[in-house]
Amino acid sequence: GSRMGPQSSARGACTSRCGMIATPKARAMRATSLMIKRFVGRRGATMGAGTSSAGTWWCSRAHSRRMAVRCASTTSEGRKSRVVFLGTPDCARDVLGRMLDAASAADSMFEVTAVVSQPGRPRGRGRKSDAPAPSPVAELAMQRGMTEDRILCPEKANEEAFLNALRKLDIDLAVTAAYGNFLPQKFLDIPRLGTLNIHPSLLPQWRGAAPVQRALESGQAETGVSVAYTVLKMDAGPILRQVKRPLNGDEKAPELLTELFETGVQALLDELPSVFAGEAASRATPQGEATLTHAAKVSPEEGDLDFTKQSAHECHNKVRAFAGWPGTKATLKVKAAGDDAELKEVVIKIITTQVSSDGDAVSAGGVVELRKKMLRVPCAGGEWLELLEVQPPGKKAMDASSFINGLGKGASVYI
């Protein structure tokens, strides 16, 4: 199915009412929406668009430029085109912000009529908060003045109450960015001009939940973002536009994800005139299968590094790909100065690395070199992984120099 967008924990969302429904479930949704209004009221004064949420997505503030799509109304009724936006985490919040900015222009050709997000999830370490907080997307929608009956957060997108609410809005176009829920055919049939998805890869490469992470993990030299029509098969629809992005080898997933969505929403806004004119669909290019790859969901265990079995490049690419969540960690053996000192195992998080081929790592015999600004770790294949930034247990992230100083003079480290 078409589970939309890259992997996200999507922590926090809102549940809003559908005014025409009077079922017990609808009444529960109404109670939740009132909680959300109070929540946003407390936070709205301090959280602007682009402010980071407590969720696990690591997406920074959207591009500050305001790029509006300006054109005369294209509908036969003489009204602006109606767009529904679907998204959940911080990076989708940034996309929504750009679309709301574009829609607010006096001569904009469209309006954001409704926002759809995943329902609330408890926050905090124990995930037992009194009430689920709204998602970054739902929170921004309320802060920007959207009424609660236009913020829809169904558990699943095949719920009839949700689909009926959308049908009554007479939607022209749906736009998705990291929504995270399967979109059934009943949903896809509603928007008159179809559904467009911003997907952070060069489709058909990396279809699925974690395209940015898998692109970096693979060590490829280029990635990009696609604006593609949504079909029932996941990320398989015709491509309206793609923008390529060369990779230099030191990008990390959170920052790259943000950048690709910024590029993608601008590409989408540039294409909207032809979409609303009914011309875009005929220009969209069907996807081939020759370069098809799947971006499977990332599991926490994938962040474990084994220097004795993995090459320096493999480890470096995992550090880049899994930055933020789930992160990467490795076990080092540390021996303090003195003949009687015991060898202790320490599990540290690896934050920033680089690869070096200077010297023969095989002959190092498992000894980690302690340099002034780095730890040089011998890896399988004969190259070195240079640790530039780490996080010891119970401490904040620090540069390698600070970590080495904390070991004490004369300490030794082994893999």
Side-chain angles (χ1 to χ4, degrees), residues 24 58 84-85 97 107 138 141 143 156 160 172 207 247 249 262 305 322 328 340 344 366 380 392 397:
W58 293 65
V84 59
F85 178 80
D107 52 353
Q143 289 175 2
K156 296 182 179 180
E160 280 303 318
D172 295 302
R207 292 180 186 172
L247 297 173
E262 289 175 353
L305 302 183
F322 304 147
T328 47
D340 298 332
K344 297 182 178 180

Side-chain angles (χ1 to χ4, degrees), residues 312 316 352-356 374 384-388:
H316 176 62
T352 305
T353 61
Q354 64 185 18
V355 177
S356 173
M374 67 184 69
W384 298 85
L385 183 68
E386 298 178 344
L387 311 187
L388 307 179

